[in-house]
Amino acid sequence: MSLVEGARLFREAWIAGVRRHFPGEPKPGYVTPWDGTPLWEREAAGAVYAQVRQFVEVSGGSTARLSREQKGRFVAPCWTAQMYKHFEDPKPGYVAGWPDLPAWERETDADIFEAVEKSLG
């Protein structure tokens, strides 16, 4: 899978996770389709996809044995680093630590990891 395809996979997993786990109606930006996603966000999605893919590959697929929380905890700081890369002073919610993330976002991060894992067979 190319990096662009991986970034799209990331975005689609994010949207599906938000729709599944977000309480109530999510903000439109949370569920904007790929074609409406800003370039910085596409680049960030591709970077995090690549990090998860590499982690799964170098572990020989043993990431399947990680808990959902461990998987989500991997995605969260990867995304946080991208926020610092793309924004000089990101909003606190964009760079919150794992315990401070809302439950829906923690679950969505785990969904993203699992989507990447599944795509690798």
Side-chain angles (χ1 to χ4, degrees):
M1 179 177 296
S2 74
L3 191 57
V4 171
E5 291 168 329
R8 289 181 75 116
L9 172 80
F10 178 101
R11 183 66 184 169
E12 290 165 7
W14 166 264
I15 291 169
V18 168
R19 293 196 188 284
R20 185 177 311 111
H21 303 293
F22 191 88
E25 187 64 31
K27 293 194 274 187
Y30 288 172
V31 293
T32 300
W34 179 258
D35 291 337
T37 302
L39 181 59
W40 72 263
E41 196 165 356
R42 291 179 184 201
E43 291 174 357
V48 177
Y49 163 80
Q51 288 177 286
V52 174
R53 180 187 67 203
Q54 183 176 23
F55 183 48
V56 172
E57 289 172 347
V58 300
S59 76
S62 63
T63 54
R65 298 174 64 185
L66 297 176
S67 69
R68 278 186 53 81
E69 180 177 333
Q70 289 170 318
K71 292 173 181 184
R73 280 183 179 262
F74 184 84
V75 171
C78 293
W79 185 257
T80 298
Q82 289 299 308
M83 294 306 93
Y84 284 120
K85 177 182 178 182
H86 291 279
F87 298 101
E88 181 65 31
D89 188 24
K91 295 178 185 178
Y94 288 0
V95 294
W98 181 259
D100 299 321
L101 292 176
W104 68 266
E105 193 167 345
R106 292 191 305 259
E107 289 297 322
T108 299
D109 285 350
D111 289 352
I112 290 166
F113 190 105
E114 291 176 346
V116 173
E117 224 174 14
K118 183 178 177 183
S119 77
L120 299 173

